Amino acid sequence: MQSPDPTAEDESQAVSRRIQRLSLHLTPKYPLPRNYAAQQLELVECASKAAKLTVDTSSLSNYMRGKHREIQDRVLDYFNKQPELQTPVEILKDDHRELCMKQLVGLVKEAGIRPFRYVVDDPAKYFAILEAVGSVDMSLGIKMGVQYSLWGGSVLNLGTKKHKDKYFDGIDNMEYPGCFAMTELHHGSNVQGLQTEATFDPLTDDFIIDTPNDGAIKWWIGNAAVHGKFATVFAKLMLPTHDTKGITDMGVHAFIVPIRDFKTHQTLPGIEIHDCGHKVGLNGVDNGALRFCSVRIPRDNLLNRFGDVSRDGKYTSSLPSINKRFAATLGELVGGRVGLAYSSVSVLKIAATIAIRYSLLRQQFGPPKQPEVSILDYQSQQHKLMPMLASTYAFHFATLHLVEKYSEMKKSHDEQLVGDVHSLSAGLKAYVTAYTAKSLSICRESCGGHGYAAVNRFGSLRNDHDIFQTFEGDNTVLLQQVAGDLLKQYKEKFQGGTLTVTWNYLRESMNSYLSQPNPVTARWESEDHLRDPKFQLDAFRYRTSRLLQSVAVRLRKHSKTLGSFGAWNQCLNHLLTLAESHIESVILAKFVEAVQKCPDPSSRAALKLVCDLYALERIWKDIGTYRNVDYVAPNKAKAIHKLMEYLSFQVRNIARELVDTFDIPDYVTRAPIAMQSDAYSHYTHYVGF
């Protein structure tokens, strides 16, 4: 019997696929609504004919905000009832600083909310308060963070019982306003390169704090210019020795240094304080510069959890090296990054709420002889705002997970968990703050000329948030830390080591990468397949694993000729892309998990829709990578794009409910164009009509 001709069989299958594809053009899966002309708005096919989801905003909001909703509502209610404490649109720098201090003191003493009590014992509650406070005024959120998370947190996390007993109450009730003096004029990210010195004097049992040169001046120190009375100063601990050196550098340690007289508030002898002046944003925070000239402090002012000096000048530590002590010190200060990632999501929620409410209200153009339509019905506006809304939800659950991990770390002090949180906080802080910064400009542009009015908040949000990309670790530096940890885990994987929780997926996906993409699944185009979380997670993780393996090969190759530093620099952009890809994988995994855990069916359906949009939009953004390795066939790529646009329109249909779920009061958005009712009358009233 003659065997069938395989070429003819392939041609027959190709013809069948072509006919099927042409039939879809003639009878599209999602036909356009009949009452719309083809030239109308370039709306996505057919989402308007699909059944609109019913979203129970109360149920979804309860699920999103969780058990700390009550404390947040207390914060928001307090400021709602105190209009004199609400930051006006136009305010001078000095007035803003004083208002910010009044806001924080009022919150503590009048509203009875004591954030400091939760910094260690219940970090999730502390960050919930920080989110609410920052939504009232970002300067207030940062000032609170300086007082409690940085100055207060350094005492709690780096000090011992004697320090907590002496300073806790004063920090808690705002009697001891303080600073966190780490950054210097010449050193920010490179903390081990700090030059300020703390030399022990065994004759007087004192440390002598000195600024040896102008580059060592403490710079950008929050609370220093006006309000601070104390500073946690990071300096090299210098110990006298009896050898030829005469002195030994024991590495960077933290010291409590009084900077102003407690009664007169005058600067203390040996200390110079200068005002850093008007900034791009956050002008309610009084940033200053500090110089020390032979300032003596008692030996007990060394925050000695990780290293101590005895009366006779001997150094002791439970950690064997400078690098170990340095890592332990910075590990305890990771809460600042956690807070910034969490707060950045809050900023994104506010901006998205303003832009989406306006876009639903604003009407421009339409079919001939028919009413104008909402600008959110334009595909271009949906393309700007709907994936952003999906990302806001994704970031919410990812940073919530980070807070939970951080809280667990503070209770257990597990070494492996400390490393996991350190890397996860670095990655999420870098990724989320960079995304929010870009999104703030997109939101402003999406609201046209009205978005340029200061009263509608985009300008202040953008300016205040911009520095989030720099402080608590420059984003580019933080992403390199993530990439470094990934490479370390990659090495562990091939040496049979145990991977930490956040990196577990690497074991399976690396094995998957080292084999060729499945030519069958690469061509699957069905909606069920594309909306399957397994496909989405596999795609994200495949990309990360591919980037990880390829950069490891490149580093090995370049290190032979350039050395380790040169090789790293040669591969730097590749490393940054790897870190971002990994963080996106973590974000999606947490979003999928949150969808599955949601108890209310209608809320779960809404979250699933939003999660699918987030996943497919990210895959489409990097579709070139998937196409280059045949992970996604051409027809599948088209199907992803088509489904993404369909989901975007579906999300548009429930956009009002999705932003209302954030539960942001009108006085917090403070944008007349985003008021829940009769926005235009609010706007015209503001300008004097």
Side-chain angles (χ1 to χ4, degrees), residues 171 178 220 425 531 596 638 647:
I171 296 172
W220 294 123
S425 64
R531 297 187 68 175
Q596 293 168 348
K638 292 177 184 177
L647 295 176

Side-chain angles (χ1 to χ4, degrees), residues 2 269 404 487 517 657:
Q2 188 177 4
E404 290 168 356
L487 287 163
E657 292 89 339

Side-chain angles (χ1 to χ4, degrees), residues 412-485:
S412 70
H413 300 289
D414 178 77
E415 188 174 334
Q416 186 170 300
L417 190 56
V418 169
D420 205 19
V421 170
H422 181 77
S423 184
L424 185 59
S425 64
L428 280 173
K429 182 268 183 186
Y431 188 90
V432 171
T433 58
Y435 185 95
T436 298
K438 294 183 182 75
S439 297
L440 286 165
S441 288
I442 292 170
C443 286
R444 204 292 301 156
E445 293 164 15
S446 298
C447 295
H450 294 313
Y452 198 62
V455 69
N456 289 320
R457 284 210 76 185
F458 292 122
S460 61
L461 288 172
R462 184 170 55 187
N463 290 347
D464 286 347
H465 177 274
D466 194 61
I467 194 62
F468 279 40
Q469 300 174 92
T470 301
F471 59 24
E472 292 293 331
D474 175 85
N475 283 359
T476 302
V477 175
L478 294 182
L479 287 173
Q480 289 180 72
Q481 291 179 14
V482 176
D485 280 344

